[in-house]
Amino acid sequence: MSTSHSFENPAFSGASDENLPDQKKSPYYLASPGSSHSSKMSTRSLYCAALTGIIVFALGLGLGFLIGYFAYKAPGEGTSATGNSASNSATMNGATTPSGSTRPPTTQSTRPPTSACNGVCKEELKCPQSAPITQSESSSSRGIFEMVTASEMEEVYEFMVQQGLVDQRPSSGSPSLQNTYIYSISLYLPNKDEAISHLDEGLASPGRYADVHVHRGNRNVADIMEYRVGPLGGAMTATALYNDGELPYNSRPRDGIEWDGITEQVTLAMSILRPLLMESFDGAYYPEGGMTFHPQAPPGLLPEERETRFVMALLVDGTARGRDLHPLPLTGTVRNPGTDKSQWYSYNFYYLNQGPFRTAEELLEAFQNGTIRKFAMPRGHRQTLFETTFPKQDGNKPRDMSNKAPPRTYEPAGRRYTVHDHTVKWMDWEFTVFGSQLRGPGVMNVQFKGERIVYENSLNDVGLIYASDVSSGANTVYMDATFGLGEWQNVIIGVDCPEHATLLDAAWWNMGAQRSVSAKAICIFEMDGQEAIWRRKDRFAAGLRNTYLVARFPMSVGNYDYTIDFRFYLDGRMQSTGMASGFIQASFWDQGNPHAGNDKTTDPFGYRVSEYTHGALHDHTFGFKVDLDILGKKNKFEVIHWKAGNVLDALKTQNNNITLKPPYYLYNETRFVEWETLATEAGLKLSYANPKIWTVVNEEHKNKWGVPRGYRIAPMSAYGQVVPDSHPAMGALSFTKYQCAVTKRKEDERFITGSYDQNRMANPTGSLERMLDGENIVNEDLITWVSVGFIHVPTSEDVPMTARVETGFWLKPWNYFDTTAVFDVPQYVDTMDHSITERPPAPTDCYQPVKENCYFCN
């Protein structure tokens, strides 16, 4: 529908002179014979009339162009995604675009530009509205895998206060270390047998319970405790999961309350060292003088220990963690066990790796006496930090055409999936997204075409081991679940997820405020892969465009940002990925370090990556718990060995009685596969030299061709841990040794690591190595603990931001279906004789309004 008018010249419109008034049948007014006017015009008059007509025509033509230009460039252009099926067919040789396709070009649309429409017109051209997310009315009606909501967390807190299990939150400020307070709240997953009976047989629900971690500082002997609290929405009870004192207080996760006590000790020490600070670090001092500190981990190897190493760093305006790029060569240790902060103190100071000095006074004396090597930043260095650290566009070097809007995706038919609470259905897939405040995200009860394939696929931990030639970073190890992989924040729309994504809530417990926090932290969307999931050009041209569904969890954990994806494909494949970005945690680059290389750009632990910044090498290992249920819980794990050898070796794997090589083999070398069923629990490693395929199968259920149905576990990389077992961290981080470990499922082996093992690595409460205790795993309910990662040797391209580094694994059908499992959706098919022609649904001609994204706007 258009409101523009048409102006036509009769000479070009096909209009007949007979239909015009008499005086306009001729381009000039000519007097009829017998009139008092001459029948001919003078040459001068004719010339003037012609010139006037030309001028009027030119003015009209120019004015028309101007009107058309400004109508087309009306305000709001570029703020909508439009599509037109006719123009798409023209530009794609007949191929049509399914939901989630790249936005079609608006300039080829046969309809008027949406910017020229009035409000009614725009409303008519909007893409179809999707059905809203539906939600349960009460806690008792929610699905058994639904995350604990913010309101439910408040109910748990009030219940525990009433039971005397935690203290009332203070009217202002945070609790103290002498209080008993909640550290985290997450869903306590139900007993699997009870859950399956409820889901498959309609038996009573096992209920939903909260997993509540509590710091108990008001006891005679302080400790930490976990409670199972629930059922949510019912008459709640609290069950302690450990004995009193079983979890020593000093093995607790670090929190903001402890941080405040550490800050007091660092402040005292730095006030003594202020002359050293100002002389060495461009006039900076601590506190409130352009300097800060960073506590590192672990705080001890045994649960009875508690010592926090810290490194001083320069502040960067506008950032909280820009400091990680600007550490200083000044470190110390705070001894901070127990709840009595008056007994804490700082000691063991290093300056340019010189030390340890028992006290800050001893270090200052050595500095002032000139008995140690000194360092001084040039004046004005701190004024350069924002420009080199804050991740903004370099306006001096704009990239050609970067001011044009890039491609975007849209949903021409609205969403092709539905969401109820956190349960998603798409193209015969159904699953529930969930997350834990400590452990991070996962998906539960994953079904395809009505059959459960995965009971649980969840991130459990991320392990990092650093190496660097500095007095702090030389011994740094992180287990990120300790710090909270699920302290959710709102996603960044347009960066984390496309504008048309559906956002879901996730809640966590804020320890400092003793209140729940809810965020739009999960995004669900259908993705256009812009590629073929299959194709064939033969005597026909055919294929299927690859579209898939994504459940995405972006997370900020310290200096790094992780994005965890669970992706679901039309052919029954699933992909789980972990992506890392953000600030690297660097160490100080000491130009005078005697351990550096001759050219002073490298040392044994990496590169110089900025003025005073060394990129400390480290790794990231993502540990997942993957509970595959292939047509039931009784499964077995098969290893398929990809081998090479002579022909008889190959044939004897099936029939040992064969003695002669058949004559049709022209040469005696071949490749073949050999099957191995794992009989007992085992940890497995990938090797490029000895390829293996890992499968979980159900030998009681076979496909049409008599082959046991199953799924393959396929890591996206073969990265392996090189740290030896003798390293102090490897007891707690034993999962990093294997790409896959297979165990018999047990309810008390809930996670790949212990919740408190960051702070007791030499005596961990949970260790994958301990789970591998030789139990039978043939036709049992199996857990596959999948570990995938990457090594990170930071380079100058990691400053100021590490561009995405990704790893993950696939779960792929392995004889699970009788044929390729995509031919129940429309394909693209053309035959030479046009006897068979198929097309996916054509997109509608519509637009989706795109609003400017502003993260911190109300």
Side-chain angles (χ1 to χ4, degrees):
M1 177 176 178
S2 175
T3 57
S4 60
H5 294 84
S6 175
F7 298 92
E8 294 185 332
N9 184 338
F12 300 104
S13 66
S16 169
D17 278 359
E18 281 72 21
N19 298 325
L20 297 175
D22 288 347
Q23 70 270 26
K24 295 184 179 177
K25 290 183 179 180
S26 164
Y28 306 109
Y29 179 73
L30 302 177
S32 59
S35 71
S36 60
H37 295 278
S38 169
S39 63
K40 292 184 180 180
M41 299 179 66
S42 69
T43 302
R44 180 183 180 89
S45 299
L46 185 61
Y47 175 82
C48 290
L51 181 60
T52 301
I54 292 172
I55 292 173
V56 170
F57 177 80
L59 288 173
L61 186 62
L63 183 60
F65 273 112
L66 286 173
I67 291 172
Y69 177 84
F70 285 108
Y72 183 73
K73 292 288 184 179
E77 181 187 334
T79 60
S80 64
T82 63
N84 179 272
S85 57
S87 62
N88 285 350
S89 297
T91 57
M92 300 180 66
N93 296 322
T96 54
T97 310
S99 174
S101 65
T102 301
R103 179 187 301 172
T106 59
T107 55
Q108 297 187 12
S109 175
T110 58
R111 295 208 180 180
T114 58
S115 56
C117 294
N118 57 25
V120 175
C121 173
K122 281 192 172 183
E123 196 63 33
E124 290 180 352
L125 288 179
K126 274 187 179 179
C127 294
Q129 295 297 303
S130 300
I133 299 172
T134 58
Q135 295 182 331
S136 299
E137 296 181 356
S138 64
S139 293
S140 58
S141 62
R142 291 190 177 100
I144 59 175
F145 302 124
E146 282 292 325
M147 288 185 285
V148 184
T149 67
S151 60
E152 289 172 335
M153 289 182 181
E154 296 292 342
E155 293 171 4
V156 167
Y157 164 78
E158 293 294 344
F159 168 77
M160 297 192 72
V161 169
Q162 293 169 7
Q163 299 298 309
L165 298 175
V166 299
D167 296 334
Q168 182 74 40
R169 66 171 67 97
S171 57
S172 62
S174 299
S176 73
L177 292 177
Q178 285 77 31
N179 289 130
T180 291
Y181 56 89
I182 295 174
Y183 178 75
S184 74
I185 302 177
S186 299
L187 180 70
Y188 192 104
L189 289 175
N191 175 282
K192 182 177 179 180
D193 288 339
E194 295 177 6
I196 294 295
S197 295
H198 168 66
L199 295 170
D200 294 356
E201 301 172 29
L203 299 184
S205 168
R208 293 168 58 245
Y209 288 76
D211 187 1
V212 185
H213 293 237
V214 177
H215 287 195
R216 304 198 298 180
N218 64 356
R219 297 173 56 83
N220 292 333
V221 179
D223 65 1
I224 47 182
M225 180 57 73
E226 280 187 61
Y227 295 93
R228 180 175 179 264
V229 181
L232 302 176
M236 289 192 287
T237 61
T239 303
L241 302 181
Y242 296 90
N243 297 321
D244 291 345
E246 185 177 352
L247 298 175
Y249 187 70
N250 287 335
S251 65
R252 69 194 183 278
R254 183 192 301 140
D255 60 28
I257 299 169
E258 183 183 21
W259 186 296
D260 290 342
I262 296 171
T263 298
E264 294 173 9
Q265 296 302 318
V266 174
T267 300
L268 289 173
M270 293 305 114
S271 64
I272 296 169
L273 292 172
R274 184 161 177 167
L276 178 152
L277 302 180
M278 296 188 70
E279 181 178 334
S280 299
F281 308 127
D282 189 20
Y285 56 90
Y286 181 84
E288 299 180 358
M291 188 179 290
T292 185
F293 75 95
H294 178 67
Q296 296 186 309
L301 297 177
L302 295 172
E304 297 78 22
E305 299 175 354
R306 194 72 170 185
E307 292 193 338
T308 302
R309 290 169 293 110
F310 65 89
V311 57
M312 303 307 294
L314 294 177
L315 279 173
V316 179
D317 291 342
T319 75
R321 297 305 295 258
R323 69 182 190 224
D324 288 275
L325 281 177
H326 302 285
L328 298 172
L330 177 60
T331 67
T333 300
V334 173
R335 181 166 175 78
N336 57 308
T339 62
D340 186 358
K341 293 191 294 184
S342 68
Q343 300 299 309
W344 296 4
Y345 60 87
S346 61
Y347 75 112
N348 272 12
F349 294 91
Y350 285 85
Y351 175 80
L352 286 172
N353 283 354
Q354 299 165 109
F357 295 92
R358 184 68 185 174
T359 65
E361 289 86 352
E362 289 182 13
L363 171 56
L364 182 62
E365 181 181 2
F367 181 83
Q368 292 178 331
N369 290 341
T371 57
I372 58 175
R373 184 165 60 94
K374 293 185 178 182
F375 163 80
M377 285 180 174
R379 291 299 176 188
H381 173 73
R382 289 193 294 129
Q383 279 63 52
T384 68
L385 298 184
F386 181 82
E387 287 298 322
T388 60
T389 307
F390 194 89
K392 59 182 179 60
Q393 182 184 4
D394 182 355
N396 297 321
K397 301 176 181 179
R399 193 172 296 189
D400 185 37
M401 302 187 77
S402 61
N403 61 335
K404 289 190 173 185
R408 287 292 187 267
T409 58
Y410 79 123
E411 295 176 323
R415 287 197 295 262
R416 300 203 301 177
Y417 57 90
T418 61
V419 181
H420 176 71
D421 291 336
H422 290 81
T423 296
V424 182
K425 295 181 180 180
W426 174 80
M427 296 290 159
D428 283 346
W429 285 102
E430 181 176 353
F431 57 90
T432 299
V433 294
F434 87 109
S436 159
Q437 179 170 341
L438 298 181
R439 299 290 175 174
V443 289
M444 298 293 300
N445 195 32
V446 180
Q447 301 178 60
F448 186 55
K449 297 183 180 294
E451 295 177 331
R452 181 179 302 107
I453 296 170
V454 176
Y455 177 76
E456 177 183 358
N457 178 10
S458 61
L459 180 66
N460 265 212
D461 212 335
V462 183
L464 302 90
I465 300 177
Y466 278 78
S468 184
D469 189 20
V470 290
S471 53
S472 57
N475 308 290
T476 300
V477 179
Y478 292 124
M479 299 174 68
D480 281 340
T482 302
F483 304 100
L485 287 165
E487 294 189 353
W488 315 106
Q489 301 178 39
N490 290 337
V491 302
I492 308 173
I493 290 296
V495 176
D496 291 324
C497 315
E499 287 81 357
H500 61 76
T502 299
L503 304 184
L504 302 182
D505 290 321
W508 60 283
W509 186 257
N510 185 305
M511 172 279 312
Q514 286 295 283
R515 295 187 184 277
S516 61
V517 178
S518 184
K520 296 291 185 184
I522 308 167
C523 46
I524 310 294
F525 58 95
E526 188 172 1
M527 185 79 172
D528 177 8
Q530 311 240 3
E531 61 190 4
I533 196 170
W534 75 267
R535 76 178 299 277
R536 176 60 191 169
K537 174 58 181 70
D538 200 291
R539 292 184 177 178
F540 57 88
L544 178 63
R545 194 179 182 117
N546 184 23
T547 57
Y548 53 93
L549 193 77
V550 181
R552 178 167 293 169
F553 298 75
M555 309 172 299
S556 295
V557 185
N559 57 298
Y560 269 110
D561 285 51
Y562 295 130
T563 299
I564 305 299
D565 274 10
F566 300 95
R567 304 172 186 171
F568 303 86
Y569 292 79
L570 292 170
D571 60 351
R573 291 176 299 150
M574 291 167 275
Q575 186 184 25
S576 305
T577 64
M579 184 274 285
S581 183
F583 291 113
I584 60 170
Q585 188 171 116
S587 57
F588 180 76
W589 177 259
D590 179 8
Q591 190 73 12
N593 184 353
H595 302 152
N598 293 331
D599 61 358
K600 302 300 182 183
T601 62
T602 62
D603 70 6
F605 308 99
Y607 296 95
R608 178 187 184 185
V609 296
S610 191
E611 188 69 26
Y612 299 108
T613 304
H614 172 272
L617 66 85
H618 59 282
D619 58 4
H620 298 252
T621 305
F622 297 80
F624 288 82
K625 181 181 183 180
V626 183
D627 184 351
L628 284 160
D629 281 355
I630 306 301
L631 300 160
K633 293 187 294 183
K634 290 187 176 182
N635 295 159
K636 68 177 184 178
F637 194 95
E638 282 191 341
V639 180
I640 302 172
H641 299 268
W642 176 271
K643 308 182 78 171
N646 62 54
V647 172
L648 281 179
D649 287 340
L651 297 179
K652 283 177 177 291
T653 63
Q654 300 289 318
N655 184 349
N656 200 42
N657 296 322
I658 299 176
T659 59
L660 295 175
K661 176 177 74 70
Y664 48 79
Y665 284 95
L666 301 181
Y667 36 87
N668 196 32
E669 291 79 25
T670 189
R671 289 182 295 184
F672 59 97
V673 294
E674 192 169 6
W675 285 263
E676 175 192 6
T677 297
L678 287 188
T680 59
E681 296 172 324
L684 306 173
K685 300 179 181 180
L686 285 174
S687 168
Y688 287 118
N690 298 290
K692 297 177 178 65
I693 296 171
W694 298 331
T695 65
V696 175
V697 301
N698 189 324
E699 62 183 2
E700 295 181 358
H701 292 267
K702 299 179 180 181
N703 67 10
K704 182 178 180 180
W705 318 114
V707 181
R709 297 170 67 186
Y711 259 73
R712 176 187 177 185
I713 301 170
M716 291 166 57
S717 72
Y719 160 73
Q721 182 61 268
V722 298
V723 173
D725 289 351
S726 58
H727 190 285
M730 287 311 295
L733 288 174
S734 59
F735 77 92
T736 66
K737 294 165 51 176
Y738 309 108
Q739 283 81 47
C740 182
V742 191
T743 64
K744 181 179 177 180
R745 191 185 195 281
K746 300 185 185 72
E747 288 293 334
D748 59 355
E749 292 179 349
R750 298 166 59 202
F751 305 116
I752 204 169
T753 57
S755 297
Y756 311 104
D757 291 350
Q758 169 77 77
N759 309 315
R760 50 182 300 169
M761 290 186 168
N763 183 20
T765 60
S767 171
L768 180 60
E769 201 71 55
R770 292 180 187 171
M771 301 182 199
L772 301 174
D773 53 6
E775 291 196 65
N776 171 66
I777 57 171
V778 177
N779 295 326
E780 296 284 355
D781 192 0
L782 306 181
I783 299 293
T784 54
W785 307 92
V786 180
S787 301
V788 289
F790 49 81
I791 57 175
H792 193 180
V793 181
T795 63
S796 54
E797 289 82 7
D798 289 295
V799 178
M801 281 287 148
T802 293
R804 61 178 296 135
V805 187
E806 188 176 45
T807 187
F809 63 94
W810 290 89
L811 299 176
K812 300 181 177 182
W814 197 255
N815 296 304
Y816 191 88
F817 304 106
D818 296 334
T819 61
T820 312
V822 297
F823 288 97
D824 52 354
V825 299
Q827 314 285 310
Y828 178 96
V829 180
D830 268 342
T831 57
M832 296 180 68
D833 61 358
H834 307 295
S835 60
I836 302 176
T837 301
E838 295 181 10
R839 294 290 186 274
T844 58
D845 185 4
C846 66
Y847 85 100
Q848 288 182 327
V850 178
K851 297 179 180 179
E852 181 180 358
N853 297 319
C854 178
Y855 192 89
F856 296 104
C857 298
N858 292 328

